[in-house]
Amino acid sequence: MRWHQKSINEVIEELKSSLQGLSSEEAARCLAEYGPNELKEKKKKTPLMMFIDQFKDFMILVLIAAAVISGFIGELSDTIAIIVIVVLNAVIGFIQEYRAEKAMAALKRMAAPSATAIRNGVSETVSTSQLVPGDVVILEAGKIVPADMRVIESAQLKVEEAALTGESEAVEKHINALYDEHLPIGDRKNTAYKGTFVTYGRGTGVIVATGMNTELGKIATMLQEEEEVKTPLQKRLASFGQKLAIAVLAICAIVFGIGVMRGEPTMLMLLTAISLAVAAIPEALPAVITISLALGANKLVKQNALIRRLPAVETLGSVTYICSDKTGTLTLNKMTVEEMYFDRKLIKGPRGQGVKGSSEKTDYLFEPSNPRTLEPSNPRTLEPIFFTALALSNDAVIDKDGNVIGDPTEIALFNVARDNGFNKNEVEKEFPRIAEIPFDSDRKCMTTFHKQSAVSDQQSAIKIEYISFTKGAIEVLIDKSDNMLTSDGLKEIDREEILKVSDRMAADGLRVLCIAMRKWERLPDDMSAEKVETGLTILGLTGMMDPPREEAKEAVAMCKTAGIKPVMITGDHPLTARTIASRLGIIEDDTKAIITGRELEELSLEEFEERVEHISVYARVAPEQKLKIVKALQDKGQFVAMTGDGVNDAPALKRSDIGIAMGITGTDVSKEASDMILLDDNFATIVKAVREGRKIYDNIRKFIKYLLTTNSGEIWTLFLAPLVGLPIPLLPIHILWINLVTDSLPALALSVEPAEGDVMGRPPRHPKESIFAHGLGLHAIWVGLLMAGVVLSVQTWSISTGHAHWQTMVFTVLCLTQLGHVLAIRSEKESLFKIGIFSNNYLLGAVALTFILQMATIYVPALNPVFKTEPLTLNELALTIALSSVVFFAVEIEKWWKRRKR
């Protein structure tokens, strides 16, 4: 049995305590047995070790080797650039790893410094860390609950457990045993948990768990045990770096060997091979990717998505499942009256916009300046009575900023009354509240008394009468009422009809409230609920819900078009969850698509994995069950984005591929465990972020395609020239120059390329998809061969026709072909002429600047001896430019062929 199932006496007896608390000796013994009431951290790496670990990645080791070689051959600028890139990446990685500790720090901040405990029969202030199981602790409004405790006394004690359960409404606590073993935390109303907040009333509890044995401690354990999953890009780049390094070293060795065998100077071939290795290693790759991700993150923050971990930007593009909380993310987080039933008529309002009374009755609406008797025998006053009741029978108020504050249900009633012309502040002037019987969970209703000024026809003088309004559950009020008010006057209650209406509202996922009233000639002497809440007249029903966001419906449709499955997770009733999910388009009529938290708890992970891909809605789910959902989906090869705002969500956020915390309602712990924070708590923002992630990954692929192809062209040129009997076409300085100018500005400019037209019209890429997928590797090989073919053709022609400066022509053609290539690969499928030459001015500027710099190496006399170049004639320059365009047109033809096949 769990603590919530036991009676108070059983709990006290098992803990060897008493209602007067522990003695000092007993407390000391328990402290030695259980340890301090603190969250413990596992042994962690020092910041220095974290920083050193960032240099163990294979790609980083290759770059460090490239930096050493560059320094050896005298290219200090390359060495410095590579070192800066490596250190920058290490700093970013260190920050990402270090932030995990901040999540634990945020958990610790939730602990209260001290508490009031009863020891030796008297209350005293005790340090929270010294509390032990068996201690009796006094709870008061404004206090943080210091440990998990079974409530043994409650005077309207209310505790806000949003940090643990995700539900913002405070829970009223009671002392009775609950016999369901599998109750989720939010339904254990006789237990208070460490880190939650007392908002109202007072009470007493006996501590049943401290430190790491509390629910908060269990979360701390999970948070420290769950490892962050590497992003797809990190996995792909690690694999890519290993394969590329091996291939480059092998090719460089072959080039060196062939050159030496042909009689080329050994030192020249060694420098050429080393230069080729440096050029082929994509040292700019980490920098360009980091800049791309940073630009994407900067753009996303303007769209209300704050990226905490840069790789998360790209990872969004791989998402196959978005598991989202309902309240506030898919919905408005604003209870709204959507249906009303009175005068035996059902009135519905526009979905999500509230409901208004019948326009033909506006003549009878309440006028504050013209007080009138609310007389049940007068049917013409039915509508004003109903809305007056809604306005007066609630505790919602308007603050100094004009915001309505209070219980969400009461705010909904306040708003619907105001929207129909019954402003509570004005109505209360005519009907001031003079007494009330507060709501409690046993009675399931509340009553307010109001003074009413009325004109008596017999006495022609003002007399004072009283009216009470009661609101609550229909099944309760129907038994407390004698009649109901209709336009035909007071009628006998049609139980079958009113319960049928209530059931239909509930089936539509609405929260149903019954509104009733009673007239009093004078205030009753006995103001108990048993005496007052009888002989009522039912006025009508209201059906309310937290309606879905309009933009969320569009975002769900976009998800489905993009091959992403949206999933709703909520602590709400399955009927409410089904209604919202249906209205958003998350589910159709598939009953198997919904599962409750209790059903989920009864399934093993293996059984759950068989069903998980067919489930779209999780209802009555506790936040800690999100971790089970994430693991099951990941085991099925899915890529999961998970939202959360409570402390209990933190392990699932950390484990998921993209953890998304709520910026408005989220706890510090959930934010620290997340990859991204929604500043507006809006589901549509997630979809915008996915779109940006896909665009960024597309652009990273374009950069890699460009980089591999240019390097491929250089390698093929140097590899094939000796095989066909030509001299080494390029000097080491030429290779390093091309590597410098073409791998920098044009590549960076690709990172701001606009999104492809079908970016959200195609399925997500598979998380295990190779970076060479969709023909990227093949493209790099054949275009590289074409570049080499063009370059070697120029070399052959210029040597055979006696052009003394053939090497300058070869150097220029190889540089310019790469500029033509970068323009051609701006889109995977569409022609440059369709997307527009001027649609990426950064790239156009980078190409123009690179062209100017290349011309400077040819025509600036001071640079000729440095680059071993000679000025070209106009005809030679025209020929090199014309031949350099061959690659551009060849890639355009390739894209045309792809479009034709599609």
Side-chain angles (χ1 to χ4, degrees):
M1 291 177 67
R2 304 187 184 187
W3 293 111
H4 67 272
Q5 294 179 270
K6 300 177 189 246
S7 68
I8 293 174
N9 288 336
E10 287 175 316
V11 172
I12 293 290
E13 184 179 342
E14 189 164 333
L15 292 169
K16 297 182 176 59
S17 183
S18 70
L19 295 178
Q20 285 72 46
L22 299 171
S23 67
S24 299
E25 294 76 18
E26 289 170 328
R29 178 184 57 78
C30 290
L31 186 63
E33 181 180 350
Y34 296 106
N37 179 31
E38 296 173 336
L39 299 183
K40 298 176 183 175
E41 294 184 62
K42 66 179 183 181
K43 190 176 180 180
K44 53 192 179 184
K45 289 189 287 188
T46 64
L48 178 61
M49 285 305 298
M50 282 186 199
F51 187 71
I52 292 172
D53 282 349
Q54 308 308 314
F55 296 93
K56 293 180 180 178
D57 183 79
F58 186 82
M59 190 72 182
I60 297 298
L61 294 175
V62 170
L63 290 178
I64 292 171
V68 172
I69 293 170
S70 296
F72 174 72
I73 63 174
E75 293 298 326
L76 291 178
S77 58
D78 268 20
T79 300
I80 293 169
I82 294 171
I83 289 173
V84 168
I85 290 165
V86 167
V87 171
L88 177 64
N89 277 274
V91 169
I92 292 170
F94 168 77
I95 291 169
Q96 291 165 6
E97 188 172 343
Y98 186 70
R99 73 179 178 80
E101 294 181 16
K102 295 173 70 180
M104 276 301 300
L107 266 181
K108 287 187 167 183
R109 284 199 299 272
M110 295 180 66
S114 62
T116 303
I118 300 175
R119 293 225 176 134
N120 304 309
V122 296
S123 61
E124 59 180 84
T125 300
V126 178
S127 170
T128 299
S129 65
Q130 302 300 303
L131 292 173
V132 295
D135 260 327
V136 174
V137 174
I138 296 171
L139 298 174
E140 296 175 309
K143 297 281 188 179
I144 296 173
V145 179
D148 288 3
M149 58 183 67
R150 173 70 162 81
V151 177
I152 58 176
E153 180 188 341
S154 174
Q156 295 186 334
L157 176 68
K158 291 185 179 180
V159 181
E160 186 201 279
E161 299 176 336
L164 278 179
T165 65
E167 297 299 321
S168 57
E169 199 170 330
V171 178
E172 185 172 355
K173 297 294 181 179
H174 60 71
I175 63 174
N176 304 319
L178 299 166
Y179 298 106
D180 187 341
E181 181 182 356
H182 300 290
L183 276 180
I185 288 174
D187 291 337
R188 298 178 196 172
K189 297 186 178 180
N190 60 7
T191 311
Y193 294 99
K194 181 179 176 69
T196 57
F197 185 70
V198 180
T199 61
Y200 188 80
R202 65 179 301 280
T204 308
V206 57
I207 292 178
V208 296
T210 58
M212 298 302 282
N213 294 318
T214 63
E215 291 298 325
L216 203 64
K218 292 173 187 175
I219 294 165
T221 301
M222 287 191 289
L223 199 57
Q224 294 181 97
E225 288 177 350
E226 285 303 324
E227 294 183 2
E228 292 187 23
V229 181
K230 275 195 170 185
T231 71
L233 187 62
Q234 288 170 327
K235 294 174 185 175
R236 290 183 182 115
L237 287 180
S239 173
F240 168 68
Q242 291 177 13
K243 292 173 183 175
L244 183 66
I246 293 168
V248 166
L249 292 174
I251 291 170
C252 291
I254 293 170
V255 168
F256 174 76
I258 291 175
V260 171
M261 285 191 293
R262 288 186 69 249
E264 298 285 353
T266 302
M267 186 52 69
L268 173 62
M269 288 313 302
L270 178 62
L271 290 175
T272 300
I274 291 173
S275 300
L276 184 59
V278 172
I281 296 297
E283 68 270 15
L285 180 60
V288 172
I289 289 175
T290 300
I291 291 168
S292 298
L293 297 177
L295 290 172
N298 185 55
K299 184 174 180 181
L300 282 173
V301 79
K302 296 174 183 174
Q303 298 176 357
N304 292 316
L306 176 64
I307 301 297
R308 297 189 66 254
R309 205 164 62 94
L310 273 184
V313 179
E314 174 275 331
T315 310
L316 285 161
S318 291
V319 166
T320 58
Y321 270 72
I322 299 178
C323 299
S324 173
D325 289 331
K326 174 184 73 70
T327 305
T329 307
L330 290 166
T331 65
L332 293 169
N333 197 19
K334 176 185 176 184
M335 290 296 287
T336 305
V337 175
E338 295 208 333
E339 295 183 8
M340 296 187 301
Y341 171 80
F342 60 84
D343 196 13
R344 306 185 72 170
K345 295 184 179 71
L346 187 65
I347 303 174
K348 296 185 179 183
R351 283 182 170 178
Q353 298 178 26
V355 57
K356 293 200 174 183
S358 52
S359 57
E360 67 269 18
K361 295 184 181 179
T362 50
D363 292 341
Y364 311 122
L365 292 182
F366 178 82
E367 295 287 346
S369 60
N370 181 22
R372 64 184 73 213
T373 301
L374 296 181
E375 180 55 60
S377 61
N378 181 0
R380 293 170 64 84
T381 63
L382 174 54
E383 186 166 314
I385 292 175
F386 186 71
F387 286 117
T388 298
L390 298 186
L392 295 176
S393 184
N394 77 69
D395 294 321
V397 295
I398 299 178
D399 66 12
K400 60 182 181 181
D401 298 320
N403 302 311
V404 185
I405 57 175
D407 178 85
T409 298
E410 302 208 319
I411 291 174
L413 299 178
F414 180 101
N415 285 334
V416 76
R418 184 174 60 177
D419 292 345
N420 283 277
F422 291 78
N423 190 307
K424 179 183 176 182
N425 292 343
E426 297 299 324
V427 177
E428 276 192 331
K429 292 177 182 177
E430 304 299 331
F431 298 92
R433 184 187 296 193
I434 56 172
E436 66 180 80
I437 304 175
F439 175 87
D440 73 51
S441 52
D442 294 327
R443 287 174 29 251
K444 295 184 179 179
C445 60
M446 73 168 282
T447 297
T448 58
F449 276 84
H450 303 269
K451 188 185 296 182
Q452 174 179 267
S453 301
V455 179
S456 168
D457 292 335
Q458 290 79 15
Q459 302 173 8
S460 296
I462 297 227
K463 68 176 184 177
I464 301 297
E465 291 184 343
Y466 301 92
I467 188 167
S468 67
F469 294 112
T470 302
K471 72 170 188 286
I474 177 61
E475 64 270 18
V476 173
L477 293 198
I478 201 168
D479 292 330
K480 296 176 182 284
S481 302
D482 292 343
N483 47 45
M484 62 186 294
L485 183 61
T486 72
S487 55
D488 298 324
L490 293 171
K491 297 289 182 182
E492 184 180 346
I493 296 173
D494 187 336
R495 292 180 67 95
E496 183 179 353
E497 177 182 314
I498 201 166
L499 289 175
K500 186 176 179 181
V501 171
S502 173
D503 289 344
R504 196 205 59 72
M505 283 183 175
D508 283 346
L510 301 180
R511 184 181 296 178
V512 183
L513 272 183
C514 180
I515 314 297
M517 68 172 286
R518 181 175 173 180
K519 294 270 296 175
W520 304 81
E521 290 185 2
R522 62 185 182 84
L523 279 178
D525 296 326
D526 184 352
M527 290 289 286
S528 66
E530 292 77 14
K531 296 295 183 182
V532 168
E533 293 169 349
T534 60
L536 304 177
T537 296
I538 290 178
L539 300 178
L541 305 175
T542 62
M544 65 189 78
M545 78 180 331
D546 177 14
R549 295 175 181 262
E550 275 303 311
E551 62 271 30
K553 186 175 182 179
E554 297 170 13
V556 165
M558 191 180 293
C559 278
K560 291 188 170 184
T561 303
I564 301 168
K565 184 168 182 176
V567 172
M568 177 198 290
I569 300 176
T570 178
D572 255 346
H573 192 279
L575 283 175
T576 305
R578 173 185 286 279
T579 300
I580 296 293
S582 297
R583 282 168 60 169
L584 287 169
I586 290 175
I587 60 169
E588 307 298 333
D589 296 322
D590 185 5
T591 54
K592 293 181 180 178
I594 300 179
I595 189 172
T596 64
R598 174 168 294 182
E599 292 170 326
L600 179 58
E601 187 172 350
E602 292 170 356
L603 294 175
S604 67
L605 187 60
E606 293 74 21
E607 291 172 325
F608 179 42
E609 285 178 4
E610 292 178 9
R611 292 183 56 186
V612 67
E613 292 178 305
H614 304 289
I615 299 171
S616 298
V617 176
Y618 296 85
R620 283 285 190 238
V621 169
E624 60 268 22
Q625 290 179 310
K626 287 183 174 182
L627 188 57
K628 187 174 182 178
I629 297 170
V630 170
K631 287 181 175 178
L633 285 170
Q634 288 177 335
D635 288 347
K636 299 294 284 185
Q638 301 296 342
F639 217 74
V640 186
M642 173 69 78
T643 71
D645 53 10
V647 173
N648 260 19
D649 293 326
L653 293 179
K654 185 176 179 182
R655 174 59 189 247
S656 62
D657 300 288
I658 292 288
I660 304 171
M662 301 296 110
I664 299 173
T665 60
T667 59
D668 286 347
V669 181
S670 65
K671 291 174 184 176
E672 294 295 350
S674 69
D675 303 296
M676 182 172 90
I677 298 173
L678 295 185
L679 300 179
D680 58 357
D681 290 11
N682 193 335
F683 180 82
T685 302
I686 304 175
V687 181
K688 290 177 187 174
V690 168
R691 186 180 190 279
E692 187 67 20
R694 288 190 174 190
K695 183 199 85 171
I696 286 170
Y697 182 71
D698 283 351
N699 289 346
I700 289 173
R701 266 180 56 87
K702 289 170 190 174
F703 165 67
I704 292 174
K705 177 190 279 190
Y706 171 65
L707 177 126
L708 285 182
T709 307
T710 56
N711 290 357
S712 170
E714 295 164 19
I715 290 169
W716 282 121
T717 298
L718 291 167
F719 181 71
L720 294 175
L723 296 181
V724 296
L726 292 171
I728 297 297
L730 297 169
L731 297 173
I733 186 66
H734 298 154
I735 299 170
L736 295 171
W737 171 257
I738 291 172
N739 184 52
L740 175 66
V741 295
T742 60
D743 282 8
S744 53
L745 293 178
L748 283 170
L750 277 176
S751 65
V752 295
E753 188 66 36
E756 300 265 2
D758 66 341
V759 70
M760 289 299 280
R762 59 179 189 248
R765 62 187 181 275
H766 195 281
K768 294 183 179 179
E769 176 186 286
S770 165
I771 211 160
F772 299 103
H774 309 297
L776 188 149
L778 184 63
H779 175 95
I781 292 171
W782 82 258
V783 175
L785 276 170
L786 179 60
M787 286 182 179
V790 172
V791 169
L792 295 179
S793 296
V794 170
Q795 184 181 7
T796 303
W797 175 82
S798 56
I799 290 174
S800 63
T801 54
H803 287 75
H805 37 255
W806 60 266
Q807 202 163 47
T808 302
M809 294 178 69
V810 168
F811 174 39
T812 304
V813 168
L814 186 56
C815 182
L816 299 187
T817 54
Q818 295 181 4
L819 299 183
H821 179 245
V822 78
L823 291 172
I825 63 166
R826 283 185 53 197
S827 171
E828 290 274 351
K829 301 182 186 76
E830 300 300 335
S831 167
L832 173 66
F833 304 107
K834 181 176 181 180
I835 64 175
I837 295 174
F838 298 99
S839 55
N840 185 347
N841 289 328
Y842 292 103
L843 181 60
L844 202 60
V847 168
L849 179 58
T850 303
F851 178 81
I852 291 168
L853 291 173
Q854 179 63 23
M855 292 301 101
T857 65
I858 301 170
Y859 294 109
V860 174
L863 296 178
N864 290 149
V866 176
F867 289 95
K868 309 296 189 292
T869 55
E870 297 170 301
L872 300 178
T873 66
L874 192 59
N875 288 338
E876 289 171 337
L877 179 62
L879 178 64
T880 58
I881 292 174
L883 289 172
S884 299
S885 67
V886 169
V887 170
F888 170 80
F889 289 110
V891 176
E892 283 291 332
I893 292 169
E894 178 196 33
K895 292 191 292 182
W896 169 81
W897 179 252
K898 283 184 181 178
R899 292 195 299 273
R900 189 176 174 211
K901 282 173 65 180
R902 186 180 56 179

